[in-house]
Amino acid sequence: MRRVVVTGMGAITPVGNDVATTWRAIIEGVSGGALITKFDHSTFPVHFACEVKGFDPLIYMERKEAKRADPFAQYAICASVQAMTDAGLDDVSKYDPERLGVIIGSGIGGLKTFEEQHDVYRERGQSKISAFFIPMFISDIAAGLVSMRYNAKGPNYATISACATSAHAIGDAYRTIQYGDADIIITGGSEATVTPMAIGGFANMKALSERNESPATAMRPFDATRDGFVMGEGGGIVILEELEHAKNRGAKIYAEVVGYGATGDAYHLTAPAPEGEGAQRAMRRALADAKLSAADIEYVNAHGTSTPPGDLAETMAMKAVFGPCAKHVNVSSTKSMTGHMLGAAGAVEFIITSLALRDSVVPPTINYETPDPELDLNYTPNQAVKRELRAALSNSFGFGGHNVTLAIKRFEE
């Protein structure tokens, strides 16, 4: 199999509108939680979220293009521009378009556009629905728009698997390059769900924290007082590239993707399988694919959503997979800072995990105050930790029983 490396990164997140700012905030333990500014939330049970802040799409897009793109697509395009520039691939002359693919997912797609156009229909009738409604709403349009920007004529599609969406996208991109169907793939995910319907829907199913008095401390993965997640938004994009192709053009290399495990729970709409059974199999498959043992892993970027059943199931899964090694692994949930970015979460957390390997530093789980006796791993509470890291896992699990684990190593010749 051909080796696959990471040569570029881009991110729009609740704690920074580029990778460097986001990474600095993550290491410093900065929370992105604050009161919602995007709509009137006064009648909602939840008044806060982890919104993207100070974002200007016109830095990366023409005004007309931005007007015809839902925020989720804007985030994907802007993060893709960052990533391609970072990889030194910002000019079409630098690659073969037929060997460049795009796999970018979104769990929900253009929800803001859907809500707005539904209001138009109800208030003004069918004839006033925008002709751009469908292409602005559909989840695959982000991949399509990015492919058009870069004349990418290789494999092109979107993944949709709730909170595992962008981890699936990265895993598929990894496989596609391994199998020789592309040399470079722009991959990741985006989401823009700080909207009335999304906040209302998740709140009514009791998935969201209701700590309205303290938005910055509401997302508290693995803590005994956790009461749900905080909605996040944004986009994360990475450039995956075949190793020899990257070396031949003198590309910098962040990390190497070495394993991909994807499983299904076949159990419940929203709850994880007992003891994280599906998550266990995803982690084991990723380790087997990477030819790594549990003892080789020093860090796990956990799915860690701050929900009582989710954090327990993931902890049980890690203990089952790692056995006696579990106590020696640093675990953290960086959602404690970004909130839960849904379909973008896996890609942003893949970026964070890759940078952790590069810099030999474990990001913290902030807001960890009260240990839960059932959750007894090292969750790297509140402060980043320096540690030599060679191999790590990044977990992403979604409603519907979708499980993905990506195995990443520090790059070595």
Side-chain angles (χ1 to χ4, degrees), residues 297-299 330 353 355-363 385-392 409-410:
I297 302 299
E298 295 103 356
Y299 172 52
N330 275 90
T353 306
L355 294 174
L357 287 163
R358 183 195 68 178
D359 294 350
S360 285
V361 58
V362 179
V385 173
K386 291 292 291 183
R387 178 176 179 178
E388 191 73 11
L389 300 176
R390 297 175 298 278
K409 285 181 68 176
R410 179 187 296 175

Side-chain angles (χ1 to χ4, degrees), residues 66 74-75 91 98 125 134 188 197 210 217 226 268 329 334 340 376 381 394 407:
Q74 294 179 2
Y75 298 152
D91 189 304
E98 295 187 9
I134 297 300
M197 289 296 290
E210 296 186 4
T217 65
R226 65 194 185 278
H268 190 271
V329 177
T334 49
H340 193 348
D376 56 353
S394 182

Side-chain angles (χ1 to χ4, degrees), residues 270-285:
T270 57
E275 299 184 4
E277 183 273 337
Q280 291 182 39
R281 288 185 286 111
M283 284 187 273
R284 289 193 173 106
R285 287 189 177 194

Side-chain angles (χ1 to χ4, degrees), residues 30 33 51 75 87 113 118 129 137 161 170 205 213 255 257 276 341 344:
V30 176
E51 295 179 325
Y75 298 152
T113 294
H118 188 254
I129 297 171
F137 167 68
S161 52
I170 291 170
M205 66 188 294
E213 72 286 352
V257 190
M341 297 171 68

Side-chain angles (χ1 to χ4, degrees), residues 20-256:
T21 306
T22 295
W23 178 233
R24 184 166 58 250
I26 293 295
I27 294 305
E28 293 174 356
V30 176
S31 172
L35 290 177
I36 292 169
T37 65
K38 296 190 173 183
F39 63 90
D40 179 4
H41 49 82
S42 58
T43 61
F44 285 64
V46 174
H47 302 299
F48 60 95
C50 288
E51 295 179 325
V52 166
K53 305 165 186 69
F55 172 69
D56 181 3
L58 301 184
I59 295 172
Y60 305 95
M61 307 167 65
E62 295 295 328
R63 188 173 299 277
K64 182 185 290 188
E65 184 184 11
K67 187 176 180 181
R68 295 176 178 177
D70 185 88
F72 96 95
Q74 294 179 2
Y75 298 152
I77 293 167
C78 296
S80 294
V81 172
Q82 291 178 12
M84 287 292 276
T85 301
D86 183 44
L89 295 168
D90 47 337
D91 189 304
V92 71
S93 67
K94 297 180 179 180
Y95 52 83
D96 177 356
E98 295 187 9
R99 302 292 297 169
L100 173 66
V102 182
I103 305 175
I104 297 174
S106 179
I108 298 179
L111 189 57
K112 179 174 183 287
T113 294
F114 190 95
E115 292 180 27
E116 290 175 347
Q117 290 302 307
H118 188 254
D119 287 344
V120 168
Y121 165 65
R122 293 191 63 178
E123 294 167 9
R124 301 169 61 195
Q126 172 271 327
S127 65
K128 298 301 182 181
I129 297 171
S130 170
F132 292 98
F133 165 54
I134 297 300
M136 288 177 70
F137 167 68
I138 52 179
S139 293
D140 67 296
I141 202 64
L145 291 168
V146 171
S147 73
M148 286 181 265
R149 177 177 285 259
Y150 290 104
N151 195 33
K153 297 183 176 181
N156 185 293
Y157 60 93
T159 53
I160 303 176
S161 52
C163 311
T165 289
S166 54
H168 268 127
I170 291 170
D172 282 5
Y174 161 65
R175 286 276 187 263
T176 300
I177 294 171
Q178 275 191 321
Y179 293 160
D181 292 333
D183 294 325
I184 310 168
I185 296 189
I186 305 166
T187 184
S190 63
E191 207 77 89
T193 46
V194 183
T195 72
M197 289 296 290
I199 297 294
F202 278 106
N204 287 354
M205 66 188 294
K206 301 301 181 183
L208 299 181
S209 170
E210 296 186 4
R211 293 174 180 271
N212 293 306
E213 72 286 352
S214 183
T217 65
M219 189 80 175
R220 45 184 58 223
F222 306 111
D223 187 274
T225 63
R226 65 194 185 278
D227 69 330
F229 71 83
V230 179
M231 184 72 78
E233 63 173 353
I237 299 292
V238 293
I239 308 303
L240 297 192
E241 190 167 352
E242 191 273 324
L243 175 60
E244 294 306 316
H245 189 279
K247 288 168 65 176
N248 287 341
R249 67 179 190 85
K252 70 174 179 294
I253 295 173
Y254 285 101
E256 180 174 4

